[in-house]
Amino acid sequence: DIAMAELDGHLHLVSLRGELDNALGTFDAKGILRPSTMFERIALAIEKTRAHLVFLDNVGHLFTGNENDRGQVTQFVNLLNRLAERTGAAIILLGHPSKASKPGERGHDYSGSTAWLNAVRSQFNIEHDLETDLRRLTLGKANYAQKGSVAEFRWHDFAFWMDEELPDDTAAEYAALAKAQSENALFLRC
């Protein structure tokens, strides 16, 4: 129930779509990551807006190293740590898991080196149920919180809502749909 005008000065969206030099750093001949002008540009934007929470979307646009090279991945994560320390903002890097693995399988949470998981302080996954439009956010790694916490939400009326926040009639409609889909799945298994 917040109008977009009320977010003026509080929400800053910057699109780099179509730009070619989005890498936050490049690796020199010795394999050392050197911050790029894009890193500096983003840092200055965070400082100017005094952002507290920054989402960088996605790792494929910002990291041009070898995702399977533990050293390169760790250097990149440390560059993000430097960005957080410099600006005081929490940095959330968005990535996409390997398409080859299924939920619960090793490597489902990330693509490439284990450093993508080991070098960060926290990691979470969002899974999407295409039939019900339900999203499930699971805290996979948490150095400063309880691991395994789950929050569920769904897209409704142009926003993401927790089920308990939905209007009663809408919540009942989603509950009936979930029950019917569960019964259909049971029938098909039989």
Side-chain angles (χ1 to χ4, degrees), residues 2-165:
I2 296 175
M4 287 299 286
E6 293 178 62
L7 297 175
D8 187 32
H10 301 285
L11 176 66
H12 305 276
L13 302 173
V14 178
S15 174
L16 301 176
R17 184 180 178 136
E19 293 196 30
L20 300 178
D21 295 324
N22 292 331
L24 296 185
T26 56
F27 292 92
D28 66 18
K30 294 182 180 180
I32 305 300
L33 181 63
R34 304 288 179 208
S36 68
T37 55
M38 181 56 73
F39 173 83
E40 190 61 30
R41 186 174 155 195
I42 290 174
L44 291 173
I46 294 169
E47 291 167 348
K48 180 180 177 184
T49 60
R50 296 187 303 234
H52 297 286
L53 180 62
V54 176
F55 291 86
L56 298 175
D57 184 17
N58 75 44
V59 68
H61 294 279
L62 305 169
F63 174 72
T64 57
N66 179 346
E67 73 173 6
N68 294 305
D69 185 316
R70 185 178 300 174
Q72 287 187 359
V73 171
T74 301
Q75 287 181 69
F76 181 75
V77 171
N78 284 335
L79 185 64
L80 297 180
N81 287 331
R82 178 187 295 179
L83 183 63
E85 287 176 18
R86 173 178 166 177
T87 63
I91 307 295
I92 297 179
L93 176 65
L94 302 179
H96 299 280
S98 168
K99 301 246 185 263
S101 59
K102 297 183 178 89
E105 289 182 356
R106 181 178 167 86
H108 169 71
D109 302 341
Y110 55 89
S111 177
S113 166
T114 56
W116 287 113
L117 185 60
N118 296 337
V120 298
R121 301 291 65 131
S122 300
Q123 176 267 343
F124 58 89
N125 298 319
I126 298 178
E127 294 181 22
H128 181 200
D129 180 345
L130 296 174
E131 292 181 17
T132 64
D133 213 16
L134 179 74
R135 270 67 163 196
R136 179 172 290 113
L137 184 144
T138 305
L139 191 55
K141 176 183 180 179
N143 285 8
Y144 307 114
Q146 181 179 358
K147 181 182 172 183
S149 300
V150 175
E152 292 183 344
F153 52 96
R154 64 182 75 242
W155 181 253
H156 171 73
D157 197 21
F158 301 99
F160 287 111
W161 297 68
M162 305 285 284
D163 280 350
E164 58 270 13
E165 299 172 332

Side-chain angles (χ1 to χ4, degrees), residues 154 170-180:
R154 64 182 75 242
T170 304
E173 182 182 324
Y174 282 126
L177 178 63
K179 183 176 187 257

